[in-house]
């Protein structure tokens, strides 16, 4: 297979190296394009542009494959352990028993927040969007950990990762409790990751929340399925910010802001609103699918479509099945699940969606499972952020190790005014 690409421009030929990944993906290396030809590339939305080489996550969008450090996500379903997967993503291999226990103990020990951080929550309006609080408080957290601003070694990254991955739960739970006008529930170091989070979310001073094995497994798996997804919008944001040598906390706080968008992590909230609208009788599933096809209406079939997957998102497949299994296990019936299944069936048989290869993505069923667990809709995207945090840390650290001092700075094609001059205001018409 050719290892070179030839660009012919202005009757000249330019050779460019072909880079090939471990799964056979190939790219034209255009590192010297501008120096050699004076040309840049233009690729709005970066649909054809690789920003880096990475060994963390592999996606095959045509085949609907997703692997973390080579391990298919389906392998994590039997004994879902989010903390173990977080370690795998960040450090590149599955932890030994000792490494896992040490990391898990770190997370349990460091879930608490400095009391001054807890007081910060009082300054937010109760109606403050939790993603705004989360981003602000992740940045604020760095003020209490100046020793973690400079991370040069894997050991220091493990400490920072443990603090962030542990405390993001507490930040999320405190934001929720504040929005409800309820007292915060302090973390319990005797509890492991998911039970401790749900304890902080739902226990009361007079009644402790008990996390069932079913809920514990379901939420571990949801977090695992959200843990990384190569160079998506929020991860690319984390890398972009980290490329300026900004610290890990600032980079992840920026990632939260990118994830918040309804076209990205915010879609899980929009899916539930769409399903509720149909359930409320304002519109039928068929009518909604027709509406989503009309460009001028601005509506989209939320939870459908993906920049990379042109087949089923493997996460959506798993989440759709888990939703069907979990609800009966919890003694729940959710009419929104039937509506979702109906929407999926209509869309998958509709030429508009078939031609555009639009399938359910990770957000289509995740909200139904979160709802069954008792997570309020306003916290859905926060749950996505909790799950995605290890992926952001892994990608930030990989970049820090491989592209030291290479700040990300794309070019542009200027389409504004050609040269003009300043006109004093007294002479303007
Ligand atoms: C996530 O990148 C990642 O990996 C993200 C993510 C992760 O784990 O990090 O997987 C998480 O963000 C999942 C996506 C969640 N967002 C949604 O569910 C919102 C609804 N989906 C879309 O807005 C859209 O599909 C995107 C944003 C997900 C992808 O957009 P693209 O790749 O830019 O595709 P596009 O907008 O160019 O659409 C191509 C065509 C267009 O029609 P034409 O102009 O060709 O006629 O498909 C249409 C679009 O109008 N289209 C849809 C649609 N998605 C695309 N039409 C109706 N409903 C939709 N959902």
């Amino acid at each position: 297979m050719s290892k070179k690409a030839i660009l012919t421009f202005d009757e000249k030929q330019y050779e460019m190296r072909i880079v090939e990944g471990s799964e056979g993906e190939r790219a034209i290396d255009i590192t010297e394009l501008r120096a050699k030809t004076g040309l840049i590339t233009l690729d709005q939305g970066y649909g054809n542009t690789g920003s880096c080489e990475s060994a963390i996550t592999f996606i095959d969008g045509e085949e609907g494959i997703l692997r973390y450090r080579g391990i298919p996500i389906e392998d994590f379903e039997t004994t879902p352990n989010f903390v173990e997967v977080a370690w795998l993503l960040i450090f590149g291999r599955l932890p030994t028993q000792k490494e896992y226990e040490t990391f898990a103990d770190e997370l349990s020990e460091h879930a608490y927040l400095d009391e001054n951080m807890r007081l910060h929550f009082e300054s937010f309006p109760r109606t403050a969007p939790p993603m705004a609080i989360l981003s602000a408080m992740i940045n604020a957290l760095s003020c209490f950990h100046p020793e973690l601003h400079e991370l040069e070694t894997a050991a220091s990254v493990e400490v920072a990762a443990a603090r962030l991955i542990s405390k993001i739960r507490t930040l999320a739970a405190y934001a929720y409790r504040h929005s409800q006008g309820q007292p915060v529930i302090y973390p319990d170091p005797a509890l492991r990751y998911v039970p401790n989070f749900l304890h902080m979310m739902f226990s009361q001073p007079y009644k402790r929340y008990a996390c069932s094995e079913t809920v514990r497994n379901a939420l571990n798996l949801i977090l695992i399925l959200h843990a990384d997804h190569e160079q998506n919008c929020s991860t690319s944001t984390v890398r972009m910010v980290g490329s300026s040598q900004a610290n890990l906390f600032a980079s992840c706080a920026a990632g939260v802001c990118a994830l918040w968008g309804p076209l990205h992590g915010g879609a899980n909230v929009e899916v539930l609103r769409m399903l509720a609208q149909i359930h409320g009788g304002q519109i039928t599933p068929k009518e909604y699918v027709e509406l989503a096809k009309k460009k001028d209406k601005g509506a989209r079939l939320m939870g459908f479509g993906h920049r990379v997957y042109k087949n089923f998102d493997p996460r959506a497949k798993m989440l759709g099945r888990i939703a069907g299994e979990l609800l009966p296990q919890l003694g729940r019936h959710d009419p929104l699940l039937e509506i979702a299944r109906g929407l999926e069936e209509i869309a998958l048989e509709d030429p508009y969606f078939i031609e555009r290869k639009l399938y359910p993505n990770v957000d289509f069923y995740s909200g139904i499972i979160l709802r069954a667990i008792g997570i309020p809709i306003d916290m859905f995207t926060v749950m996505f952020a909790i799950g995605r945090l290890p992926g952001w840390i892994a990608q930030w650290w990989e970049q820090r190790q491989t592209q030291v001092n290479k700040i990300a700075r794309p070019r542009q094609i200027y389409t504004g005014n050609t040269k003009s001059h300043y006109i004093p205001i007294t002479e303007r018409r």
Side-chain angles (χ1 to χ4, degrees), residues 6 25 28 35 62 77 95 167 183 200 222-223 234 270-272 304 345 355 368 407:
I6 306 289
E25 296 163 300
I28 302 170
E62 279 64 37
E77 185 170 356
K167 295 178 191 290
M200 291 187 277
I222 281 230
L223 294 175
S234 53
E270 299 304 322
V271 169
L272 259 288
F304 252 73
E345 202 176 314
E355 285 155 19
I368 289 170
I407 193 168

Side-chain angles (χ1 to χ4, degrees), residues 1 25 27 49 66 80 144 170-171 174 186 193 195-197 210 220 242 245 260 298 356 361 363 390 398 412 417 429:
M1 198 172 290
E25 296 163 300
T49 298
L66 173 56
F144 293 83
T170 317
L171 295 175
Y174 282 18
Y186 283 71
Y193 199 81
N196 208 355
F197 170 65
N220 264 289
Q245 303 287 305
W260 190 359
R356 293 166 178 81
N361 60 48
D363 292 301
E398 181 180 70
Q412 65 164 23
N417 295 335
R429 300 285 165 267

Side-chain angles (χ1 to χ4, degrees), residues 274-428:
M274 172 182 73
L275 298 175
Q277 208 184 344
I278 294 169
H279 181 56
Q282 293 110 296
I283 189 170
T284 68
K286 184 67 184 152
E287 287 167 346
Y288 200 101
V289 168
E290 290 309 313
L291 188 69
K293 290 154 59 175
K294 294 185 173 60
K295 304 291 175 221
D296 58 335
K297 299 296 181 195
R300 287 202 157 187
L301 189 56
M302 300 312 276
F304 252 73
H306 200 276
R307 173 62 57 77
V308 175
Y309 290 119
K310 300 309 170 192
N311 196 328
F312 265 88
D313 180 335
R315 303 167 297 177
K317 266 186 179 172
M318 288 175 75
L319 290 167
R321 178 168 43 74
I322 291 159
E325 294 163 359
L326 182 68
L327 291 177
Q329 287 170 354
L330 296 177
R332 298 273 172 86
H333 168 70
D334 188 346
L336 300 191
L337 179 56
E338 279 73 47
I339 293 172
R341 296 236 197 267
L343 268 180
E344 178 181 356
E345 202 176 314
I346 295 167
L348 292 182
E349 288 167 5
D350 186 302
Y352 173 95
F353 290 84
I354 295 167
E355 285 155 19
R356 293 166 178 81
K357 298 183 179 177
L358 303 175
Y359 292 87
N361 60 48
V362 66
D363 292 301
F364 194 63
Y365 287 108
S366 58
I368 289 170
I369 297 172
L370 292 172
R371 207 162 100 108
I373 291 173
I375 306 287
I377 186 170
D378 288 348
M379 292 291 287
F380 283 5
T381 312
V382 170
M383 297 311 296
F384 196 144
I386 294 173
R388 184 53 52 90
L389 182 60
W392 288 338
I393 295 170
Q395 299 272 353
W396 182 91
W397 178 229
E398 181 180 70
Q399 174 175 266
R400 191 50 65 90
Q401 289 173 296
T402 54
Q403 288 177 282
V404 177
N405 304 328
K406 187 88 177 155
I407 193 168
R409 203 279 186 212
R411 308 293 295 236
Q412 65 164 23
I413 293 295
Y414 175 70
T415 57
N417 295 335
T418 51
K419 189 173 180 182
S420 62
H421 294 285
Y422 179 78
I423 301 168
I425 196 161
T426 52
E427 296 169 23
R428 291 173 209 158

